[in-house]
């Protein structure tokens, strides 16, 4: 799949703006973090680990409270305000023993040395990387041999109802595109990872209206970040036409939205 180039400044701005509203709207992200953590516990957590794209700290909080705790957790995010939200949340927790460090950096320009990390974990963040294959190669470089990489990411079925509704209006990319299982496996193998596994889950929350869905996406910072997206405000007539197209999915008083989550595990 040819992924359109992503607008990195818009990604940073979107998540910075969403830092105050993220937690109240991010039920799916919290559920995904819990699922990811179950896999992490099975794989084994030790040493110094990285929470890549930590957001408000949901996964970092679980890593700090793990049954077999790491020695240190590095919480990293591209948006400084997200890191501050994570700091406020995690500093209120008592009895969290591992050392905790905060780093503001881009996942595509990570400041870590070769063979320096005992594990990398990431919850619904790597889909915002422009060249994921390069990012995975860099993560392999930073991991000690045999150490785990475990991340969740959105799959291509995500928001398929919204994509379908927009496709009836025009041919512009109104919804972000995401890598599928075959591409992810190819990227992992090219980067030199072994024991690669991908597990898919589908979530279909329901909403009272398309406006409610769009509001939630805004609250978690999940804007359209393709460089080829429409640059001007979408006109009212187009928006209303899209709403009508989406309404065809309504049943029993609500509309669905599909979120495909891929949980990926591998060894360096």
């Amino acid at each position: 799949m040819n992924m359109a180039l992503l607008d990195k400044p818009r990604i940073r701005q979107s998540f910075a703006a969403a830092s105050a509203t993220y937690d109240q709207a991010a039920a799916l992200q919290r559920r995904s973090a819990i699922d990811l953590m179950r896999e992490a516990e099975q794989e084994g957590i030790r040493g110094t680990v990285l929470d890549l794209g930590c957001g408000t700290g949901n996964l970092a909080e679980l890593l700090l409270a793990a049954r077999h705790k790491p020695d240190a957790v590095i919480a990293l995010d591209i948006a400084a305000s997200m890191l501050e939200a994570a700091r406020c949340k995690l500093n209120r927790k008592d009895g969290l023993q591992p050392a905790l460090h905060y780093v503001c950096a881009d996942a595509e320009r990570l400041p870590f040395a070769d063979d320096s990390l005992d594990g990398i974990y990431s919850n619904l963040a790597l889909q915002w990387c422009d060249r994921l294959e390069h990012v995975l190669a860099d993560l392999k470089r930073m991991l000690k041999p045999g150490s785990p990489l475990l991340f969740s990411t959105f799959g291509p079925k995500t928001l398929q109802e919204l994509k379908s509704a927009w496709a009836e209006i025009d041919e512009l990319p109104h919804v972000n595109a995401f890598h599928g299982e075959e591409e992810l496996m190819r990227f992992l193998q090219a980067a030199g990872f072994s024991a690669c596994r991908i597990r898919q889950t589908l979530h279909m929350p329901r909403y009272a209206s398309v406006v409610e869905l769009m509001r939630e996406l805004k609250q978690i910072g999940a804007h359209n970040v393709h460089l080829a997206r429409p640059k001007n405000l979408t006109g009212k007539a187009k928006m209303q036409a899209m709403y009508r197209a989406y309404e065809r999915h309504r049943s029993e008083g609500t509309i669905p939205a599909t979120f495909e989550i891929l949980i990926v595990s591998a060894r360096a």
Side-chain angles (χ1 to χ4, degrees):
M1 175 175 63
N2 292 321
M3 301 287 284
L5 292 176
L6 302 182
D7 187 340
K8 193 56 68 76
R10 180 172 169 83
I11 293 172
R12 184 182 292 107
Q13 292 163 7
S14 294
F15 285 105
S19 60
T21 58
Y22 186 90
D23 275 347
Q24 60 188 326
L28 182 65
Q29 283 73 10
R30 287 191 295 274
R31 183 173 175 180
S32 175
I34 292 169
D35 286 346
L36 196 68
M37 195 63 199
R38 289 196 191 100
E39 299 249 356
E41 291 274 22
Q42 293 174 4
E43 293 281 336
I45 307 169
R46 68 180 190 281
T48 297
V49 302
L50 173 66
D51 177 3
L52 181 55
C54 67
T56 59
N58 289 324
L59 182 59
E61 183 177 9
L62 294 173
L63 287 166
L64 290 166
R67 185 171 64 254
H68 302 293
K69 293 178 172 57
D71 298 326
V73 175
I74 302 168
L76 181 146
D77 203 90
I78 193 173
S81 57
M82 280 288 192
L83 272 182
E84 186 57 30
R87 189 191 304 271
C88 291
K89 177 191 294 184
L90 298 174
N91 283 352
R92 292 197 302 266
K93 303 295 178 181
D94 296 324
L96 302 180
Q97 299 304 316
L100 180 59
H101 309 281
Y102 299 93
V103 176
C104 188
D106 186 342
E108 300 190 70
R109 295 177 178 83
L110 291 171
F112 301 109
D114 295 1
D115 301 334
S116 61
L117 298 173
D118 296 288
I120 296 176
Y121 305 90
S122 180
N123 183 45
L124 296 180
L126 289 179
Q127 67 270 5
W128 307 120
C129 293
D130 196 24
R131 299 296 299 275
L132 182 56
E133 62 273 34
H134 292 176
V135 173
L136 292 174
D138 200 34
L139 299 185
K140 173 68 166 58
R141 172 190 66 78
M142 294 180 291
L143 281 166
K144 295 176 183 177
S147 296
L149 168 68
L150 186 59
F151 67 92
S152 58
T153 184
F154 287 124
K157 294 178 183 176
T158 297
L159 296 175
Q160 61 187 7
E161 300 87 357
L162 186 59
K163 293 175 188 175
S164 174
W166 272 120
E168 295 187 30
I169 312 306
D170 60 33
E171 297 181 355
L172 295 172
H174 291 273
V175 182
N176 296 309
F178 303 112
H179 293 293
E181 294 184 47
E182 290 185 7
E183 287 175 303
L184 290 171
M185 190 64 75
R186 188 169 69 249
F187 293 163
L188 288 165
Q189 292 170 347
F193 284 98
S194 61
C196 305
R197 292 183 291 114
I198 301 176
R199 177 168 63 85
Q200 180 229 45
T201 59
L202 286 177
H203 303 270
M204 293 190 68
R206 302 191 71 89
Y207 299 85
S209 67
V210 184
V211 172
E212 183 181 294
L213 167 62
M214 302 292 279
R215 184 184 302 120
E216 180 178 290
L217 294 175
K218 181 178 181 181
Q219 288 174 332
I220 62 173
H223 296 281
N224 182 6
V225 294
H226 285 319
L227 285 173
R229 71 184 186 276
K231 295 300 191 295
N232 299 318
L233 289 174
T234 303
K236 184 177 180 180
K238 271 193 173 184
M239 289 298 296
Q240 292 297 328
M242 185 275 285
Y243 291 165
R244 289 193 296 273
Y246 204 126
E247 282 291 328
R248 298 193 190 105
H249 296 282
R250 182 175 293 275
S251 64
E252 299 181 358
T254 59
I255 58 167
T258 298
F259 292 88
E260 181 186 22
I261 295 180
L262 304 176
I263 294 183
V264 182
S265 63
R267 290 276 172 176

